[in-house]
Amino acid sequence: MKPQYSSEPTDKEKFTKENDQLYTNFAAVYDVVVKVLPTWKQWICRAVPHIKGPRVLEVSFGTGYLLTRYADKFETYGIDYNEKMVAIAGNNLKRKGMCANLRQGNVEALPYEDEFFDTVVNTMAFTGYPDGKKAMGEIHRALKPGGRLVMVDVNYPLDGNRLGTMNARMWGALGDVLRDMNGLFQAFGFEYTDEQVGGFGSIHLYIAQKL
Ligand SMILES: C[S@@+](CC[C@H](N)C(=O)[O-])C[C@H]1O[C@@H](n2cnc3c(N)ncnc32)[C@H](O)[C@@H]1O
């Protein structure tokens, strides 16, 4: 089955605001679901062995589950658009006796210097951004040459299998923006690998190195 990529949302501000309202309403539930759902944890934790320091940024950390798995090993920064998510993630880190430089903000305007990070981590979030080029441009700018983007996200299975394709389409139908990530990584000159880590090939781990 062939991939049917989404179009970028036309009203980007509305898209972001509506998503943000959902996250505000469900942040507390989201926190519990991520902690107890083994599949989700397994998917996003696949990012951890690929993180290299010393300076790491997680973009769109949500309630911070993944941060609690590595933040104490690096000089760790995090940014998320949703204020409630930022507050919950801060508490989750504190409970574990950990800390990180967390703040609220938008992937489209990362408040960091050029070439500042060795790794940018991004899990289950890129398909929720309204402008893939803008988001990728900012991530690319913030990475050091030789730095890497470690991303886990939903997309079509590479072999076009039916179950994985249906799974990816379901995410698209729920509002996620499924993109040609191959084209996007190439447009920014990343060298990358794409490993399927779940969901019948619909969950991908991308390791993209900035040249
Ligand atoms: C599905 S959650 C993923 C959270 C976490 N990374 C995980 O894997 O469970 C998506 C996150 O992206 C954040 N987000 C959405 N739009 C954003 C934007 N424009 N800039 C930064 N973060 C954004 C949301 O607030 C939310 O916390």
Side-chain angles (χ1 to χ4, degrees), residues 59-134:
V59 180
S60 303
F61 49 73
T63 51
Y65 176 78
L66 201 59
L67 284 167
T68 66
R69 305 298 295 260
Y70 70 84
D72 54 349
K73 297 185 180 69
F74 306 102
E75 181 187 337
T76 304
Y77 296 70
I79 190 161
D80 193 285
Y81 193 81
N82 186 271
E83 280 174 12
K84 230 168 161 181
M85 292 292 203
V86 178
I88 294 175
N91 285 335
N92 279 333
L93 282 172
K94 210 169 172 186
R95 239 177 264 129
K96 298 256 176 195
M98 296 164 83
C99 64
N101 302 291
L102 302 189
R103 60 182 295 172
Q104 188 274 338
N106 195 334
V107 64
E108 295 188 2
L110 294 176
Y112 311 104
E113 288 168 32
D114 295 354
E115 304 184 352
F116 195 63
F117 294 103
D118 300 278
T119 299
V120 172
V121 180
N122 186 253
T123 64
M124 307 308 282
F126 202 86
T127 49
Y129 302 150
D131 189 327
K133 278 190 188 146
K134 226 175 191 176

Side-chain angles (χ1 to χ4, degrees), residues 146-196:
R148 56 172 67 155
L149 165 62
V150 181
M151 179 189 280
V152 176
D153 214 342
V154 61
N155 215 317
Y156 288 98
L158 299 172
D159 65 359
N161 78 75
R162 189 174 288 270
L163 281 174
T165 302
M166 278 165 51
N167 208 22
R169 280 192 188 152
M170 185 196 72
W171 287 80
L174 291 173
D176 279 57
V177 185
L178 301 173
R179 302 182 169 96
D180 171 14
M181 294 305 289
N182 174 41
L184 201 50
F185 286 133
Q186 281 181 3
F188 284 91
F190 280 108
E191 211 163 66
Y192 76 99
T193 57
D194 176 353
E195 187 186 346
Q196 299 169 125

